[in-house]
Amino acid sequence: MVIETAANHSPMPRHFSLRAKLTANAMVEQAMLDSGEDKLAAQLARTSMQNIGSLAMTTEQLSCMGPNVNACCQAIMAT
């Protein structure tokens, strides 16, 4: 939402000072960067959780192969 608002913002009225305009533009740019960082962190967390789930399923399937494999799989999941 911040990115859409920032992308569609209209120019500031002429009666605002240059400093106010620069400050507002800097705030919009920072908000866009913060939003992008938040989305990236969420995507990384989601991908990590999916990978951990996949590893857990694979480990569960491999652990049925024998007692030695089960111990190895448990060590992998503990890591």
Side-chain angles (χ1 to χ4, degrees), residues 19-34:
R19 185 173 185 180
K21 290 177 186 179
L22 292 174
T23 301
N25 287 339
M27 290 173 63
V28 168
E29 288 176 11
Q30 187 61 47
M32 290 173 64
L33 289 173
D34 291 344

Side-chain angles (χ1 to χ4, degrees), residues 2-71:
V2 173
I3 292 174
E4 292 172 8
T5 303
N8 297 325
H9 76 283
S10 59
M12 296 182 81
R14 292 181 187 240
H15 67 273
F16 285 110
S17 70
L18 178 60
R19 185 173 185 180
K21 290 177 186 179
L22 292 174
T23 301
N25 287 339
M27 290 173 63
V28 168
E29 288 176 11
Q30 187 61 47
M32 290 173 64
L33 289 173
D34 291 344
S35 175
E37 288 176 2
D38 289 346
K39 287 181 180 181
L40 178 60
Q43 182 63 33
L44 287 172
R46 179 178 157 215
T47 302
S48 296
M49 294 301 290
Q50 288 173 341
N51 290 341
I52 290 170
S54 177
L55 180 61
M57 287 176 44
T58 303
T59 301
E60 184 178 338
Q61 292 172 353
L62 290 175
S63 66
C64 298
M65 296 178 84
N68 294 338
V69 176
N70 189 20

